[in-house]
Amino acid sequence: MPRKPSNIIYSADETPPLGTQLVLGVQHATLALLFIVYPLVAATEAGLSFDDTQIFITSCIIFMGIATLVECLPRYGSGLLLVQIPNMAHLPLAVQSLAAGGPALYAGMSLIAAVSQLTLSRFIGALRAVFPPEVCGVAVTMLGVALADPALRRVFGITGEITPDLDLRYAMVSVVTLVIIIVLAIFSRGLLRLFAVAIGAGAGWALAVYVGVAPQPAESFATLAYIDLPRLGFPGLSFFSWALIPAAIITGIISAVDMLGTVVSMQRMDDADWRRADLGQAGRAIRANTIADMGTAVTGGFASASSSAAIGVAFATGTTAWRVGAISGILMVLAAFSPRLIGLLTIIPSSVIGAILVYAAAFLIVAGMELILSRRLSDRRIFTVGLAILAGLAVAILPELVHITPEWMQPILESPLSVATAVAIILNLIFRIGIRQEASRDVTVEENPFTVATEFLENQGDLWGARRDVVAIAIPVVAEGVEMLLDTGVAPGKLEMRAHFDEENFDVSLIYDGEPIAIPTHRPSPEDLLGDAQAVARFVGYMLSKRADKLVLGTDGTHQKLTLRFEH
């Protein structure tokens, strides 16, 4: 079982009180439903009728809830608190598809995107070398950066071009909301911390009403039914748009990378001793999402993906329990039966949403940096991370660069997340050229074992991107093993120190000419230190076996081999 971090009240597998689960589930479901603005924008841009727009949104909400429920269940999904929202990466594809061929064409392109995600998830376990922590860290950091634009636009009430006459009432509402959330998340305990986001959002909404920046409900709001059967459609499937097929495939890949980033963020938040991404868990989450997206496609809805904003809410409340996510999924499905409730969610002040997004963006940026710095950084890795983030920022800062590219490429390049992650993956693969997974160095009896072990293992740790704490643990253990073999004369004159690294283990083998040693299964007596060289070697070997994760004795040709394994 992973060790729970000190700032987490209820971890993934723990069961909060039922009342707490319900309130937190409502909190997550409400935030997720606020993002129906994305399918609304797509429907408006494409000129869909009122009936088609209802179907478009209702299908999206139902399958958002189903995907959330399945993703959160340990057996069928990831067992993590992953909450779905409408997939912003699908917005360009939806607008173009709906305009070119209506709901049938978008349904076909959405199905292609889902198949792309599903295909990638089948091979995700074999892609561990493609997604080391620094690449995952870039993805998580850029998730936060990608949230910055929609967050800050909502904070300042910007709907179009920025003008000098900004209405500072929007910023005031956002600041008050954000301050309440942060104060409760940091300085409070118990229920106040658990419901920090809900309390902050409620206070912000009340302030927005008071200062006059809360949106007013449309005249048709009063005619909406409290309870009604959801309307789903069957628009058919059209695949006859060769220009959009590449965009659909790339959209699916972007969605998978986005999902990977949210899964890694939740894994990191829930485990104080987190070492590497559990790609099997990520694959299950992606598969659950793609199945829901296929259902959305055939019923005429908008695709969904895991919410990075929900990660910020989980951090603020100190709760990552999957049961909270499952309840939020059920509530989203039930919300589809209440047109009046959905209408109410559309009038929550955008400045309140902006404050929540700012909180989530800040957490994701720092979490990504922490992931990047969890490994030793060589020059190769420094340039991988730096150039990838700069590429993503270039897209965010200079969107004009995207507009001069071919039209079919623009949906791909408009996302800072997809650009930065793609550049990080490519540079990581290029910079791996010339790095051997095994290296060795001879050590003589005249050299200082600790100095040699430090220089050799730190240098190789930098090249391989090994975890800092693993290398720090390995150095004194290896140095002690070298000293024992050379000083006792078991290894006469010199030995070879050979290091091997993969994402699972950091192994250091000491290879020498001489007699084999036996590692006792029971603790030797202190008197053994007064015996011959073999007795001393057995005593030290026993101590080494307790300090390394595994000690293996063997041979390398005609030489003796003592291997110290450190789990990575």
Side-chain angles (χ1 to χ4, degrees):
M1 294 292 292
R3 184 167 63 89
K4 184 169 69 174
S6 59
N7 64 314
I8 296 297
I9 301 172
Y10 299 109
S11 62
D13 292 323
E14 291 184 315
T15 305
L18 183 58
T20 300
Q21 292 183 49
L22 287 172
V23 175
L24 292 179
V26 169
Q27 195 168 256
H28 278 286
T30 301
L31 179 61
L33 290 170
L34 294 176
F35 287 92
I36 60 172
V37 64
Y38 296 145
L40 275 173
V41 167
T44 302
E45 290 289 325
L48 293 186
S49 66
F50 177 76
D51 288 342
D52 286 341
T53 300
Q54 272 194 315
I55 293 170
F56 198 55
I57 293 172
T58 303
S59 172
C60 177
I61 291 174
I62 289 175
F63 284 96
M64 273 169 49
I66 293 173
T68 299
L69 178 59
V70 176
E71 282 179 3
C72 291
L73 295 175
R75 175 176 292 185
Y76 304 103
S78 65
L80 298 172
L81 175 54
L82 299 174
V83 180
Q84 296 284 107
I85 62 171
N87 189 350
M88 186 170 60
H90 262 254
L91 192 55
L93 180 66
V95 171
Q96 294 179 53
S97 301
L98 290 169
L105 182 59
Y106 175 60
M109 295 302 105
S110 186
L111 195 60
I112 291 174
V115 171
S116 300
Q117 278 192 74
L118 187 61
T119 303
L120 185 62
S121 73
R122 304 301 301 181
F123 299 99
I124 199 163
L127 297 177
R128 188 175 296 276
V130 179
F131 294 105
E134 62 268 22
V135 173
C136 293
V138 168
V140 173
T141 298
M142 295 312 296
L143 274 174
V145 172
L147 284 179
D149 180 72
L152 295 176
R153 286 187 175 275
R154 286 173 170 83
V155 165
F156 293 103
I158 300 170
T159 55
E161 295 295 326
I162 300 177
T163 59
D165 55 337
L166 288 176
D167 190 340
L168 295 182
R169 292 178 298 172
Y170 291 97
M172 180 179 67
V173 171
S174 292
V175 169
V176 169
T177 303
L178 184 60
V179 167
I180 292 174
I181 292 173
I182 291 174
V183 168
L184 293 179
I186 294 176
F187 298 108
S188 67
R189 294 291 183 269
L191 294 178
L192 285 178
R193 183 185 175 190
L194 286 172
F195 306 139
V197 175
I199 295 170
W205 195 343
L207 180 60
V209 171
Y210 178 76
V211 300
V213 295
Q216 298 299 315
E219 294 181 3
S220 59
F221 178 77
T223 65
L224 294 175
Y226 286 97
I227 302 294
D228 198 3
L229 289 175
R231 296 183 58 194
L232 297 177
F234 300 95
L237 297 173
S238 174
F239 302 100
F240 297 104
S241 179
W242 297 110
L244 288 175
I245 287 177
I249 294 172
I250 296 299
T251 298
I253 295 173
I254 292 171
S255 300
V257 171
D258 191 359
M259 289 283 295
L260 177 65
T262 55
V263 170
V264 169
S265 297
M266 289 304 302
Q267 290 175 350
R268 180 68 183 85
M269 191 193 307
D270 198 54
D271 186 357
D273 300 317
W274 186 88
R275 294 187 175 187
R276 53 184 173 270
D278 183 343
L279 295 182
Q281 197 173 43
R284 292 193 299 275
I286 294 172
R287 285 194 287 275
N289 179 71
T290 55
I291 292 171
D293 279 356
M294 290 177 182
T296 307
V298 298
T299 56
F302 189 85
S304 63
S306 287
S307 168
S308 50
I311 298 172
V313 174
F315 179 75
T317 60
T319 301
T320 58
W322 65 263
R323 290 172 176 83
V324 171
I327 288 177
S328 70
I330 294 171
L331 291 174
M332 279 189 267
V333 174
L334 294 177
F337 290 80
S338 178
R340 178 68 68 96
L341 175 61
I342 295 173
L344 181 65
L345 292 172
T346 62
I347 62 173
I348 290 181
S350 63
S351 48
V352 173
I353 303 173
I356 297 172
L357 292 180
V358 166
Y359 187 95
F363 168 76
L364 288 168
I365 289 172
V366 175
M369 292 178 179
E370 189 176 13
L371 269 177
I372 292 168
L373 295 176
S374 68
R375 296 290 186 97
R376 301 184 65 88
L377 294 178
S378 64
D379 289 342
R380 300 176 186 231
R381 281 176 164 74
I382 289 171
F383 282 113
T384 297
V385 172
L387 293 176
I389 291 178
L390 283 175
L393 291 177
V395 172
I397 297 171
L398 300 173
E400 297 83 3
L401 293 175
V402 179
H403 299 154
I404 63 175
T405 60
E407 188 173 343
W408 67 270
M409 291 182 62
Q410 292 182 15
I412 307 168
L413 300 177
E414 282 178 348
S415 168
L417 167 66
S418 61
V419 170
T421 306
V423 170
I425 290 172
I426 292 170
L427 291 179
N428 173 59
L429 294 176
I430 292 174
F431 288 152
R432 288 172 67 90
I433 298 173
I435 296 179
R436 296 179 298 165
Q437 292 302 100
E438 192 169 88
S440 64
R441 184 200 194 282
D442 288 341
V443 187
T444 64
V445 71
E446 291 83 12
E447 295 179 286
N448 184 312
F450 186 81
T451 301
V452 173
T454 300
E455 292 176 353
F456 177 67
L457 295 181
E458 283 191 346
N459 180 61
Q460 291 306 131
D462 288 341
L463 284 176
W464 292 331
R467 287 176 54 216
R468 297 173 183 274
D469 57 329
V470 172
V471 175
I473 291 171
I475 287 172
V477 179
V478 172
E480 188 174 338
V482 171
E483 185 177 38
M484 175 268 290
L485 292 173
L486 291 177
D487 286 359
T488 60
V490 172
K494 69 173 185 177
L495 58 78
E496 178 189 353
M497 183 172 15
R498 183 184 298 170
H500 176 85
F501 174 75
D502 57 36
E503 285 296 324
E504 301 290 338
N505 298 295
F506 188 83
D507 293 341
V508 182
S509 298
L510 305 179
I511 302 169
Y512 62 95
D513 291 320
E515 295 297 323
I517 62 173
I519 305 299
T521 56
H522 300 288
R523 180 184 178 90
S525 64
E527 289 75 16
D528 286 337
L529 289 173
L530 302 176
D532 59 15
Q534 283 287 337
V536 174
R538 285 194 297 271
F539 185 92
V540 177
Y542 174 82
M543 299 304 296
L544 293 178
S545 70
K546 299 303 178 185
R547 297 177 63 189
D549 292 308
K550 188 176 182 180
L551 187 149
V552 179
L553 298 176
T555 58
D556 184 64
T558 59
H559 308 293
Q560 304 301 323
K561 183 177 181 181
L562 183 153
T563 300
L564 297 162
R565 168 160 290 179
F566 304 90
E567 293 180 359
H568 194 266

